[in-house]
Amino acid sequence: METRSVYESWLNEPTLDEATRAELLTISLDAPEIEERFYRELEFGTAGLRGIIGAGTNRMNVYVVRRATQGLANFLLSCENAKERGVCIAYDSRLFSPEFAKETACVLAANGIKTFLFSTLHSVPQLSFAVRHLNCMAGVVITASHNPSKYNGYKVYWAYGGQAAPEQASAIFDEIQRVPMFSPGVADYDAAIASGAITLVGAEEDEAYYAATEGLLLEPDLVRRRGGDLPIVYTPLHGSGAVPVRELLSRVGLTNVTTVPEQAEPDGRFPTVTAPNPEDPNAFRLAIALAEEKGARVCLATDPDADRLGVAVKTKANEWVTLTGNQIGCILLQHILSSLSRQKRLPKNGVVIKSIVSTRLADAICAAYGVALENVMTGFRFIGEKVDEYQTSGEKTFLFGFEESFGFLAGGLARDKDAVCAAMLAAEACIVYAERGMTLSDALDETYATYGFYSESVKSYTLEGKEGMEKIAGAMASLRENPPKAFASTKVVIAEDYLARRCERSDGTVCEIALPKSDTLRWLLSDESWIVIRPSGTEPKLKLYIGARAKTKEQLDSTLTALMQDVDGLLTGYLK
């Protein structure tokens, strides 16, 4: 059906609410806008749905949410005991998150599926934990993570507490495709609450999560003794981290924490930032100003659904620096492994898991402690699956997992990124290093002095809309048709295509890649540098990752700059 016809079918739908009809009427003469809103349906992938809020098939709205939920319900009803085990639903502070969560609950209830709905906004790690705690078959979080305020999304979790696997996501998507847009039944919310079809949850699940997470502290006595001495500034960036982060830090004895007042309350408009992203140094502007006032040397930030943690630290030169996800990951990794080793609690079968686009400094740290390190594809779901596999089999003891995009997980209580727990461990690391007269900046310098200088650069190319998606696909096709033999005059020694699962060495030998299929290309260079290019799975972006190792920081910076200039020029040409 042509986009104009789909638009007209929405406009003439008798059950359409009047606000949506009015919104559609405002674009009746805007053919490009109609095309953009209706040329496709939002894709349902392993991260569920994510899109701009508004009317249309290519937008996030109650009708798209209801249809997705009906597809999920149809799939659940084909799974043994799913109806009785039910679904847990959480939502963050984004615009329409509470409304979309309530619609999700009411569609599930209309299908006779037991439904647990958090009564207030909650974080991704709390939902992940609750799915297992409540023995649910699935979970849903209404969130678009750290995207700008015009976005929202719908993430599906499975019984193990992690995101739905590709096979499940594909089956759910097939079910969604069979559901007419305006057909899902919706239970009356108040009646469903009264009958027990929808159960509001919160306090009991929170308590279980806090108690379990407290148990991951490595130096609890030190933290309780010195926790009031170290000033920390925290910002939830208007999101769901405000309650759990502050509550957990307080419980373990970190009592000298000041929250940025302008960013403390939930607000889906995110008025103080361009995007509520702790990866962006600009997100720390208010936190750093407050830290100067309070005499703090560390700032912590979480995104709206509190699955990502950002850290800013003050150096000995009294300059503020925002740490990269790789740097935070390695500081936490070094803290965990060194503490366990010092306490003689480091398990012989310990394992650390990271994504293939994350720093190789982690490999060196793990090797020094005799701990196995495994690489998985980009996307925290792959880490969550490994955690579940090893906790189920007992083959290995999961210690820590991370990815460069500011996602960290210790202990495996959740099966997704957990910025609440990571904030606790980062604060604990501050205290442990402070006992040695060091800051986290000093700790990073010590790590480089021990293992060598490693650094990484990431660049995203944002191309929204249909034309943008076509350009991204074209760039990936061009890279495959004309594979580079060198970057910045440095020879490629291994070229990996994860879509073809093919690895080719410079001597011509070819082998199969064991990791799952993914639209990802990786090149390993003769000087130990590496490059990865992949489309984002959740945003309209092409992502470039570059990593290098060198004996000096100057050499490292030179290598990274040369590689970035070369690859950026190549990609810019392909994306024109």
Side-chain angles (χ1 to χ4, degrees):
M1 191 182 292
E2 293 183 358
T3 54
R4 183 78 199 192
S5 298
V6 181
Y7 165 75
E8 295 286 355
S9 72
W10 273 59
L11 202 57
N12 297 322
E13 168 59 40
T15 64
L16 193 74
D17 69 275
E18 290 309 309
T20 300
R21 196 184 312 278
E23 180 183 341
L24 290 176
L25 285 171
T26 64
I27 64 169
S28 61
L29 301 178
D30 190 342
E33 181 66 13
I34 291 173
E35 174 73 16
E36 182 57 38
R37 288 176 181 242
F38 289 96
Y39 83 92
R40 66 164 191 164
E41 296 174 354
L42 282 183
E43 292 183 5
F44 189 95
T46 52
L49 302 169
R50 185 174 296 183
I52 296 170
I53 299 165
T57 57
N58 189 34
R59 291 290 187 267
M60 280 293 295
N61 52 70
V62 294
Y63 304 105
V64 167
V65 167
R66 286 173 181 171
R67 183 176 184 238
T69 305
Q70 186 60 56
L72 172 62
N74 292 346
F75 178 66
L76 286 169
L77 291 172
S78 71
C79 300
E80 187 177 358
N81 298 325
K83 191 173 180 179
E84 295 74 25
R85 292 178 63 179
V87 180
C88 187
I89 304 164
Y91 58 93
D92 69 3
S93 59
R94 287 186 170 272
L95 300 175
F96 298 102
S97 281
E99 291 86 348
F100 291 164
K102 186 179 288 188
E103 294 289 340
T104 301
C106 289
V107 172
L108 290 170
N111 282 271
I113 296 171
K114 189 172 180 58
T115 303
F116 301 93
L117 174 64
F118 274 104
S119 57
T120 58
L121 75 166
H122 272 69
S123 66
V124 156
Q126 288 172 291
L127 180 280
S128 175
F129 179 87
V131 166
R132 297 173 62 236
H133 184 250
L134 292 167
N135 193 34
C136 291
M137 182 61 79
V140 173
V141 185
I142 305 298
T143 179
S145 193
H146 56 290
N147 285 63
S149 60
K150 66 180 180 179
Y151 285 88
N152 211 329
Y154 182 105
K155 292 176 69 173
V156 175
Y157 287 75
W158 207 242
Y160 78 104
Q163 294 177 34
E167 302 78 21
Q168 293 157 341
S170 178
I172 295 168
F173 180 64
D174 289 343
E175 292 291 349
I176 294 171
Q177 294 291 93
R178 299 186 184 102
V179 178
M181 180 61 72
F182 298 97
S183 68
V186 183
D188 179 82
Y189 178 73
D190 292 331
I193 294 287
S195 70
I198 297 174
T199 301
L200 296 180
V201 296
E204 184 179 334
E205 287 65 37
D206 292 347
E207 186 58 40
Y209 172 79
Y210 294 141
T213 305
E214 282 184 62
L216 296 177
L217 271 180
L218 296 152
E219 301 280 358
D221 294 338
L222 175 64
V223 171
R224 195 156 296 281
R225 188 171 70 251
R226 301 297 304 274
D229 300 340
L230 182 76
I232 296 172
V233 167
Y234 165 64
T235 173
L237 297 176
H238 306 286
S240 64
V243 172
V245 170
R246 291 185 294 191
E247 175 67 20
L248 187 60
L249 295 184
S250 175
R251 283 183 178 227
V252 300
L254 292 157
T255 55
N256 197 352
V257 179
T258 305
T259 304
V260 177
E262 300 93 331
Q263 298 171 330
E265 294 303 316
D267 189 336
R269 299 168 302 159
F270 310 120
T272 63
V273 290
T274 304
N277 187 356
E279 300 177 52
D280 182 358
N282 293 321
F284 283 91
R285 179 178 56 86
L286 293 176
I288 288 173
L290 183 59
E292 285 290 340
E293 179 186 323
K294 298 293 183 179
R297 300 185 71 88
V298 62
C299 299
L300 307 176
T302 54
D303 63 347
D305 58 350
D307 64 349
R308 283 176 167 85
L309 174 74
V311 179
V313 297
K314 200 171 189 180
T315 68
K316 283 182 176 176
N318 285 323
E319 296 175 339
W320 283 96
V321 296
T322 51
L323 302 181
T324 68
N326 283 314
Q327 290 172 333
I328 299 167
C330 286
I331 286 172
L332 293 178
L333 177 60
Q334 175 70 20
H335 168 57
I336 290 168
L337 297 188
S338 62
S339 296
L340 290 174
S341 177
R342 186 171 60 253
Q343 297 166 8
K344 303 191 184 305
R345 294 196 295 130
L346 194 61
K348 291 182 179 180
N349 66 344
V351 64
V352 171
I353 307 167
K354 71 175 181 68
S355 65
I356 64 167
V357 298
S358 300
T359 181
R360 290 187 168 185
L361 175 55
D363 301 60
I365 294 172
C366 287
Y369 287 95
V371 171
L373 182 138
E374 294 187 20
N375 286 290
V376 296
M377 294 308 300
T378 309
F380 217 88
R381 174 181 62 80
F382 296 104
I383 295 176
E385 288 177 347
K386 278 288 184 183
V387 173
D388 191 65
E389 175 189 334
Y390 290 140
Q391 289 193 350
T392 300
S393 68
E395 178 188 348
K396 295 182 180 179
T397 301
F398 172 73
L399 299 175
F400 186 64
F402 79 99
E403 58 183 11
E404 56 75 37
S405 55
F406 292 67
F408 316 102
L409 177 64
L413 299 174
R415 296 287 193 272
D416 205 348
K417 302 180 285 286
D418 187 344
V420 181
C421 176
M424 178 190 76
L425 291 175
E428 179 185 47
C430 287
I431 291 175
V432 170
Y433 282 110
E435 288 289 280
R436 298 171 55 196
M438 299 167 63
T439 65
L440 292 188
S441 176
D442 301 325
L444 196 59
D445 290 340
E446 181 180 74
T447 301
Y448 290 144
T450 304
Y451 302 106
F453 287 91
Y454 291 76
S455 189
E456 297 76 32
S457 291
V458 180
K459 182 166 184 177
S460 295
Y461 303 81
T462 301
L463 297 98
E464 295 195 1
K466 182 179 179 182
E467 183 181 356
M469 292 178 64
E470 290 171 349
K471 285 184 177 182
I472 289 172
M476 295 300 291
S478 297
L479 288 165
R480 289 186 167 97
E481 290 166 6
N482 302 289
K485 300 298 181 184
F487 293 95
S489 301
T490 305
K491 182 181 177 182
V492 172
V493 293
I494 299 176
E496 298 172 336
D497 184 342
Y498 287 83
L499 193 60
R501 297 178 71 185
R502 185 175 188 272
C503 170
E504 182 175 356
R505 299 181 181 276
S506 54
D507 62 7
T509 58
V510 176
C511 63
E512 183 179 350
I513 294 173
L515 294 176
K517 276 190 176 185
S518 171
D519 190 7
T520 300
L521 296 169
R522 181 167 79 152
W523 297 271
L524 308 181
L525 311 186
S526 58
D527 64 352
E528 296 188 65
S529 299
W530 56 270
I531 294 159
V532 172
I533 299 174
R534 56 177 282 271
S536 169
T538 57
E539 301 170 273
K541 293 180 179 180
L542 184 67
K543 302 198 75 171
L544 164 63
Y545 308 81
I546 296 174
R549 179 183 184 276
K551 293 182 178 179
T552 66
K553 189 177 185 306
E554 292 72 24
Q555 182 185 350
L556 185 65
D557 292 342
S558 175
T559 299
L560 279 175
T561 299
L563 286 173
M564 180 57 75
Q565 288 177 346
D566 188 21
V567 187
D568 181 52
L570 179 67
L571 290 181
T572 300
Y574 283 143
L575 293 171
K576 281 182 179 176

